[in-house]
Amino acid sequence: MPTDSIAPTEDVSPKADLPPVEELLSTAVEAVGGVERPGQIKMVQAVQHSIQSGDHLAVQAGTGTGKSLAYLIPSIRHAMTSKGAVVVSTATIALQRQLVDRDLPRLSEALAPQLPHEPTYAILKGRRNYLCRYKASVGWPDDEQDQLFDPREVSLTGRMVQRIQEWAQETETGDRDELVPGVNEQAWRQFSVSARECLGATRCPSGMECFAELARARAGESDVVVTNHALLAIDAMEDFPLLPEHEVVVVDEAHELVDRVTSVVTGELSEVMVALAARRVGKLIEPHLGDRLVEAGEDLKALLTVAPAGRLDELPEVLGLTLALIRDAAWGCITALGPRMSSDKDDPEGAGLRKAAFTALDEVHDTAQRMLDAFGHAEEVDRAEVVWLEAGTERRPPLLRVAPLTVAGMLRDKLFGDRTVILTSATLALGGAFDGLARQWGLGAKEGGKERSGWTGLDVGSPFDHPRSGILYVAKHLPQPGRDGLPEAYLEEITELIEAAGGRTLGLFSSMRAAKAATEALRDRLSVPLLCQGDDSTMLLVKQFSEDEPTCLFGTLSLWQGVDVPGPSLRLVIIDRIPFPRPDDPLSSARQRHVAAKGGNGFMSVAATHAALLLAQGAGRLLRSQHDKGVVAVLDPRLATARYAGFLRDSLPPFWPTNDPAKVREALRRLSAS
């Protein structure tokens, strides 16, 4: 097992005259009216030790530990005398807002008397999240408008554009998240630019009042900068820095880091993207060069329309020729555009159009080349990326995607290389060990029973008494789940459990189809209200669920990780099946095969790890406060019978386990009556 305690070491840095983290923690906890917990003290000491030693730290802290304070206090203490800020990265907007709107204001005020100055903080997002004053003022043509074939969509987008224009006159931050209600991507793109499209503050007529630059300036003057995993990844991967200078990174919700980084570095290619690049280059080059690109894009459309969706293990000859045509046509356009930096500083609009054209052409060219490079390897172990075809929908044409088989090397070199990283979540020790996620992060696993130097794993536990507060019920008597929806035995089991609990149930399903099918089948059988994700906005559904005790809520992935309902409204969490990735999922299946080719266990490293993370997150919905009690019911009998069942159960909180349905129903009835 990873180290479970770290003794504080003497601070020999210039920060030695500052109060120790234990004292700062006491001050902060008293100020917010809380109570110090052993796990919180252990974590604050471990984070401080990590910052001092330079070793990376993975720390699992259960719900209710107070982990935000435990990493913010040593981070602020370090920032007091260091050259740069401490960067805190989260996976969700909700946690970003919690940190900036609640935790950091209270913490800064409480600690100010004991520190050289009152701690400062700022939130920083990707450039696409901020309104571009210059683009809004010049009214660049809408790249996306002709893709909206539905007149209702065009009208809706037009109204959103008008709202953005009115909001632009009054906003002080230009932050898209402050525009409520929100707007669709088509409308927002008319007022925003990516980092690659941006002219730069010195060349842009609106550079001095640029919202994104002002946000960066605020971040550069702050002790703590709150950002998201996507921007953290882009900052690490790109040649140009997006975040201010920093030596320490705290990655909260670290269980999502690999997926978020993978999303950032996944490329896609479709006829629409090729056509967009051709339109952007438009009149800037000879027409026949743009026509070549358009024709190559049309060839791609014809191929993708008839091709079956799924992973491409070999490159079909005709697709290879088409990708090469797209790559070469895009390169011809890039060459014809000439120098990337225009010498005419008096024509910012022309420079902006050229920059947008270069950005679109580069993406098409580079993605086509990546896809060609993904094939032709003699051995599976030599393959670095996987390509797959994603079927189109009514609103989106089919497209090709390319993604790395692992981001471990990327993270090891770019994120962990020259800074200290603290990774934390309620779910990191899968199967009781940190090795699985450590390998995915590029930190490596233990060797000879000891962890490699450079990182430490620490589980500080939970303030909840899981065996006395919760039951883990595995319905061992049920048949294994099939692919043809929920068997009648599952529907009967769900009905009996919900009736025993008096409602108060969160149903977590492996697919939206299963959630809707269960809702439709059970609404007539149950006497309590039953909501299903998709009936309304998820936020409103969760609010209704939490405020009306008998109500049940069924849903899928976002509910597995995004629901926080303490109190009597939630007494039962039902999980229909072990949430393995679909067998035909292109990226997951390719990663399993790649691990196996290198001599590892692809199923355990990829599929079981994925399932363990989601199971632990789903089970974690039950206990959200010290007084919560209830049952986590897993209907999939494989959690009791399969060879991998021990690994999955060891990833869950230590609830009292049983396979006896009668005991569980009786326990739920007692809870309902209390």
Side-chain angles (χ1 to χ4, degrees), residues 504-539:
R504 301 178 176 89
T505 299
L506 177 65
L508 302 177
F509 292 83
S510 53
S511 69
M512 184 53 79
R513 185 178 68 172
K516 289 182 176 178
T519 302
E520 185 176 342
L522 295 177
R523 270 188 172 143
D524 292 338
R525 304 189 191 189
L526 296 171
S527 59
V528 295
L530 177 53
L531 308 175
C532 185
Q533 193 175 7
D535 291 346
D536 205 331
S537 76
T538 300
M539 181 178 68

Side-chain angles (χ1 to χ4, degrees), residues 292-358:
R292 281 181 57 202
L293 186 58
V294 171
E295 291 169 2
E298 290 173 347
D299 290 345
L300 181 67
K301 178 182 180 181
L303 277 177
L304 301 188
T305 301
V306 299
R311 192 181 72 210
L312 297 175
D313 292 332
E314 302 293 338
L315 179 64
E317 182 178 0
V318 65
L319 179 57
L321 291 172
T322 303
L323 289 173
L325 281 174
I326 291 173
R327 176 199 61 192
D328 296 343
W331 182 251
C333 294
I334 291 170
T335 304
L337 273 174
R340 289 182 178 262
M341 297 298 293
S342 171
S343 58
D344 187 0
K345 295 185 178 181
D346 297 326
D347 182 22
E349 184 173 354
L353 293 173
R354 284 172 55 81
K355 195 79 179 285
F358 273 121

Side-chain angles (χ1 to χ4, degrees), residues 159-191:
R159 292 195 296 272
M160 289 180 175
V161 165
Q162 185 175 356
R163 280 187 48 231
I164 298 172
Q165 290 170 332
E166 294 169 353
W167 172 74
Q169 303 303 314
E170 59 189 39
T171 179
E172 296 181 359
T173 65
D175 186 338
R176 179 180 180 178
D177 290 328
E178 295 182 9
L179 179 58
V180 179
V183 297
N184 64 30
E185 192 63 22
Q186 285 80 14
W188 183 253
R189 282 185 181 177
Q190 297 181 52
F191 297 88

Side-chain angles (χ1 to χ4, degrees), residues 530-582:
L530 177 53
L531 308 175
C532 185
Q533 193 175 7
D535 291 346
D536 205 331
S537 76
T538 300
M539 181 178 68
L540 290 176
L541 290 173
V542 172
K543 184 173 185 291
Q544 186 176 344
F545 171 61
S546 64
E547 292 177 350
D548 184 24
E549 282 189 26
T551 297
C552 302
L553 174 60
F554 286 3
T556 187
L557 191 59
S558 61
L559 298 186
W560 286 71
Q561 304 183 79
V563 175
D564 186 7
V565 180
S569 291
L570 178 52
R571 294 300 195 201
L572 172 63
V573 174
I574 294 177
I575 297 174
D576 70 328
R577 63 191 298 161
I578 298 172
F580 291 119
R582 289 171 54 95

Side-chain angles (χ1 to χ4, degrees), residues 30-266:
E30 181 179 355
V32 300
V35 178
E36 286 187 55
R37 304 179 178 97
Q40 188 179 45
I41 297 171
K42 189 183 294 186
M43 180 173 172
V44 81
Q45 293 172 342
V47 174
Q48 174 72 356
H49 178 273
S50 176
I51 291 173
Q52 291 172 4
S53 67
D55 286 347
H56 308 303
L57 172 68
V59 54
Q60 177 168 283
T63 301
T65 302
K67 62 182 171 67
S68 295
L69 283 183
Y71 65 66
L72 286 174
I73 285 171
S75 296
I76 288 172
R77 188 179 186 276
H78 171 74
M80 287 293 107
T81 55
S82 66
K83 294 181 180 179
V86 171
V87 171
V88 176
S89 177
T90 77
T92 62
I93 293 174
L95 184 52
Q96 288 178 43
R97 295 256 57 106
Q98 175 187 314
L99 290 172
V100 172
D101 296 340
R102 191 190 73 180
D103 295 347
L104 282 165
R106 295 193 297 181
L107 186 57
S108 295
E109 182 179 359
L111 298 185
Q114 295 178 271
L115 298 173
H117 63 262
E118 182 170 339
T120 55
Y121 50 89
I123 190 168
L124 186 61
K125 306 174 184 178
R127 191 171 290 270
R128 271 283 189 196
N129 292 278
Y130 299 98
L131 182 138
C132 173
R133 288 186 187 272
Y134 180 61
K135 189 171 184 179
S137 68
V138 298
W140 284 349
D142 176 15
D143 293 323
E144 306 274 334
Q145 194 63 44
D146 62 351
Q147 297 172 37
L148 300 175
F149 303 114
D150 187 339
R152 291 171 297 179
E153 285 290 335
V154 174
S155 176
L156 176 63
T157 298
R159 292 195 296 272
M160 289 180 175
V161 165
Q162 185 175 356
R163 280 187 48 231
I164 298 172
Q165 290 170 332
E166 294 169 353
W167 172 74
Q169 303 303 314
E170 59 189 39
T171 179
E172 296 181 359
T173 65
D175 186 338
R176 179 180 180 178
D177 290 328
E178 295 182 9
L179 179 58
V180 179
V183 297
N184 64 30
E185 192 63 22
Q186 285 80 14
W188 183 253
R189 282 185 181 177
Q190 297 181 52
F191 297 88
S192 66
V193 296
S194 67
R196 291 181 178 275
E197 292 170 322
C198 177
L199 287 173
T202 58
R203 296 174 61 83
C204 177
S206 302
M208 296 299 292
E209 53 184 3
C210 171
F211 287 124
E213 291 296 327
L214 291 172
R216 282 195 70 203
R218 286 192 295 271
E221 297 172 353
S222 300
D223 297 313
V224 177
V225 177
V226 179
T227 188
N228 55 65
H229 294 352
L231 186 61
L232 181 70
I234 295 170
D235 177 73
M237 309 303 171
E238 296 287 358
D239 295 331
F240 46 87
L242 301 175
L243 295 169
E245 182 180 353
H246 58 282
E247 302 170 342
V248 176
V249 176
V250 178
V251 181
D252 203 342
E253 301 170 308
H255 62 279
E256 294 199 48
L257 180 63
V258 169
D259 285 346
R260 299 301 173 110
V261 172
T262 299
S263 295
V264 167
V265 296
T266 295

